[in-house]
Amino acid sequence: MLRGRAVVMAATMRAAALGCVAPRVPDAARARRGGHRARAPAHRTPWVDARAPRGFAAVPASAASPNLDANPGDGSSSAIVGTSSPANDAFVQPYVPQPADYAGAGACVPEGASDDLAGAGGGAGHVALVDGMSVIFRSYYGWQSRGNPLLDSKGDDISVLYSVAHAVLAVLELDTVTHAAVCLDAKGKTFRHEMFADYKANRPPTPPEIKAAIPRVITMLENMGVPVLTLAGVEADDIIGTVARRAVSERGARVSVVSPDKDFFQLLGPRVRLLRPNGKNFSGRKEHDSTADAFRDYHEPNLTGKGLVPYTERDFRDEHDGLDPAQFVDVLAMVGDASDNVPGVEGVGPKTAPRLLKTYGNIEGCVFNARTTCDIRNKRVRSSLASEKGAASAFLCRNLVKIRTRLNAPSLRSPALTFEGPGSLALKHRVPPADEGAAIGEYLERGLELGSAADRWRDLCRKRGGEAPGGRSG
C-alpha cells in the first residue's frame, strides 16, 4: 500500500500518456499553446472504447478515460474537476441516482421485458455468469489448507478439477437458470496495467499448480458443453460486466454473478445479483420482501443448500446505508484495494468513504467540497482530497476498479455471442446433449476419475431432459 502511494503520481503521468488523466498545466505559456497533449500509447487494448480528453488542464472523471464506457448508464458522472483553476469547478455535476427503470450492470429494463425467469414462451430467462478465476483459486487454496490433495490413479492432482466441476454443476442445477457461462482471465497484462504499471504488482506469482490446472479446467468445461469466455487484455470481471449488461438490456434477463468478490457490488440492480459461494447476505435484515428483486428465491434452500447465498441490491443498500450500488466504484477508488495494489486516497478509509459519498454523491463532489468549503471536518481527509495528488489518485483508482460493461470485442457481441440457438449461452442446447449426457458422464468418470461429478452430471441431464419444451416441468 505504501509503495502504491509513493508511485501514484508517477503512475498518473504514465496514465496521462494513455489519455486517462491529464496532468496540471505547469505554466501559463504552456496553457496558451493548448495545454497538455495526451500522447498516443504504443499499444492499446483494441476493444476498449478509445476516447481521450485533449486540450485542457483537468483531472477527468470516469468518462474521460479511453477505457471507460462513453455512456455509463449507471448514474456515474462524467464531470471534470479542475486542478489548475477554480473556474473549472463549474463543471462539477452532482451524482445522479439510478433511474426508476435501472436494472443493473449499467443497463435499464427494455420496454416490454418479460418477468419470466424460466424463459418459457420467449421469456427473458436467467443468466448465470461464473467468476471462474475465483473458483479456481478458492479451490486450490482450500485443498492446500487441508494438506491432503485429491489424486487420480496416475498420481496426478485433480483437486481443482473436482471442485470446479462441482461448483459449476451446482449452478447448472438451479431450477431457474436458462443460460450460463464461465468467465476466465486470459494470459498477460490488461489495459489496467497500461494505466498503472504497479497494478497487482504486490501479488505473489501464481502457483505453478494453478497455471497447470487452468488449461485442464477449460478442457473439462468445454467437454461438458459449458461456454468458457476469455478475452486478452481485459479481466474476467469486465467480460462478466459486458455480458450482464447485454443480457439485461437486450433481453430483460435476470443475471446472477457467481462470485464472492465485492467488486461486483457495483453491478447490482433489481435484475442483477450476486450468488456468493459459502457467503452471506446482509445479516442485519430482519425480513426480506420477495418483491424487492426479480428473482423471488432469496430464501430458497435450493440455493443455500448448494452453498450459493444471494446478495442483492437490497442487501447492499441495507449494508451501506442507502448508497446506490453504482457509487461503490467511488468507495473502492477512495479506500483503495490492497489486494490489487490500488492505492486509494490517503486518509480515507472504509467508514469515511461511504459517509462522504452519502453527503457529496461522488468523487467530484468530494473533491469540490474539499477545495471550496470546510464541510469535511477531518482535516487530513479534506487536505488529501483537495490536493492535486489526492484528486489524481482518486480518479486514477476509479479507472482501475470500475468494471467495464461495454467491451466492443467481436467475440462478446452478436453474432459471435448470442443468447439463443446452437452455440449460444442457452442451456437447452447444451444440457442434456443429444446423447443425454452419456459421453460426458463417461469422460468425467473414466477420463478424469471424477465419479461423484459424473453421477451429478447424469442426474442433471435426467432432470433437464424431463422438462417440458421451452420451460421447466412441474
Side-chain angles (χ1 to χ4, degrees):
M1 179 66 76
L2 292 176
R3 181 171 179 262
R5 295 193 190 282
V7 301
V8 69
M9 289 309 293
T12 302
M13 296 302 294
R14 288 196 295 270
L18 293 170
C20 303
V21 177
R24 185 173 185 174
V25 174
D27 53 60
R30 185 173 180 181
R32 287 193 296 271
R33 293 197 300 268
H36 174 77
R37 289 289 176 180
R39 178 166 47 86
H43 169 73
R44 189 188 299 280
T45 305
W47 33 79
V48 247
D49 187 18
R51 273 182 293 282
R54 298 177 183 274
F56 56 73
V59 176
S62 57
S65 167
N67 294 313
L68 285 179
D69 305 340
N71 179 22
D74 56 7
S76 59
S77 171
S78 59
I80 296 170
V81 177
T83 61
S84 60
S85 170
N88 281 332
D89 290 332
F91 290 99
V92 174
Q93 297 177 1
Y95 176 78
V96 179
Q98 297 161 339
D101 60 348
Y102 183 75
C108 294
V109 180
E111 186 176 354
S114 169
D115 287 331
D116 189 357
L117 272 172
H126 180 185
V127 181
L129 300 173
V130 180
D131 178 5
M133 301 310 298
S134 72
V135 175
I136 291 172
F137 274 81
R138 284 165 58 90
S139 300
Y140 171 75
Y141 286 109
W143 282 98
Q144 285 288 305
S145 66
R146 296 182 185 183
N148 186 23
L150 186 63
L151 305 178
D152 62 14
S153 60
K154 299 177 182 178
D156 294 331
D157 190 339
I158 56 173
S159 305
V160 172
L161 291 177
Y162 173 90
S163 296
V164 172
H166 281 281
V168 172
L169 287 169
V171 174
L172 300 182
E173 288 169 349
L174 298 179
D175 290 339
T176 61
V177 170
T178 59
H179 303 71
V182 175
C183 303
L184 298 169
D185 291 344
K187 291 182 179 180
K189 295 185 177 182
T190 71
F191 66 91
R192 290 181 176 87
H193 294 91
E194 298 173 13
M195 293 181 184
F196 184 40
D198 289 315
Y199 180 65
K200 294 187 177 182
N202 58 337
R203 289 191 176 186
T206 301
E209 295 87 353
I210 291 182
K211 290 183 178 180
I214 289 176
R216 299 185 68 193
V217 167
I218 293 174
T219 299
M220 178 185 71
L221 294 174
E222 290 176 343
N223 287 338
M224 292 173 65
V226 178
V228 178
L229 305 180
T230 63
L231 184 62
V234 302
E235 297 181 47
D237 294 13
D238 305 305
I239 298 173
I240 289 173
T242 296
V243 177
R245 183 195 60 80
R246 281 194 56 201
V248 173
S249 64
E250 295 176 15
R251 298 176 56 85
R254 279 71 168 169
V255 177
S256 289
V257 177
V258 183
S259 176
D261 194 345
K262 69 181 185 299
D263 291 357
F264 289 110
F265 287 176
Q266 61 189 273
L267 301 182
L268 293 173
R271 297 196 180 210
V272 179
R273 69 174 178 186
L274 289 185
L275 291 180
R276 309 185 79 181
N278 300 316
K280 61 181 180 180
N281 43 37
F282 181 53
S283 59
R285 183 191 301 183
K286 296 180 179 179
E287 60 183 31
H288 178 74
D289 180 3
S290 61
T291 64
D293 60 66
F295 295 90
R296 302 187 296 276
D297 61 359
Y298 190 84
H299 294 303
E300 287 292 325
N302 190 34
L303 291 172
T304 56
K306 299 179 186 303
L308 298 173
V309 179
Y311 188 92
T312 67
E313 176 192 25
R314 172 77 177 276
D315 284 306
F316 177 88
R317 292 183 186 277
D318 288 349
E319 188 172 358
H320 295 85
D321 195 27
L323 284 182
D324 274 351
Q327 290 176 286
F328 192 67
V329 177
D330 286 3
V331 174
L332 290 175
M334 291 198 290
V335 174
D337 187 344
S339 65
D340 289 341
N341 205 36
V342 175
V345 178
E346 186 174 359
V348 180
K351 293 183 179 179
T352 301
R355 287 200 298 266
L356 291 173
L357 294 171
K358 185 73 175 175
T359 303
Y360 305 115
N362 53 17
I363 292 175
E364 288 84 352
C366 294
V367 171
F368 174 77
N369 280 274
R371 289 175 174 171
T372 59
T373 74
C374 293
D375 291 346
I376 299 177
R377 296 181 179 180
N378 188 307
K379 184 177 180 180
R380 182 187 180 197
V381 172
R382 184 172 69 249
S383 175
S384 184
L385 285 169
S387 69
E388 182 175 351
K389 174 183 176 181
S393 180
F395 292 117
L396 173 62
C397 291
R398 180 160 66 184
N399 276 309
L400 295 174
V401 300
K402 183 177 177 65
I403 294 175
R404 280 28 178 198
T405 60
R406 296 174 183 265
L407 298 177
N408 57 20
S411 62
L412 297 181
R413 301 169 64 186
S414 182
L417 182 66
T418 61
F419 295 98
E420 291 299 332
S424 70
L425 301 185
L427 293 179
K428 66 182 179 182
H429 300 290
R430 299 176 179 273
V431 184
D435 66 352
E436 300 182 354
I440 295 175
E442 186 78 2
Y443 165 74
L444 291 172
E445 183 171 14
R446 298 187 181 277
L448 299 181
E449 300 184 25
L450 301 175
S452 59
D455 291 339
R456 196 170 181 178
W457 165 259
R458 295 184 185 109
D459 289 341
L460 172 64
C461 288
R462 281 193 290 268
K463 176 185 175 184
R464 286 192 174 262
E467 294 168 355
R472 304 284 177 263
S473 59

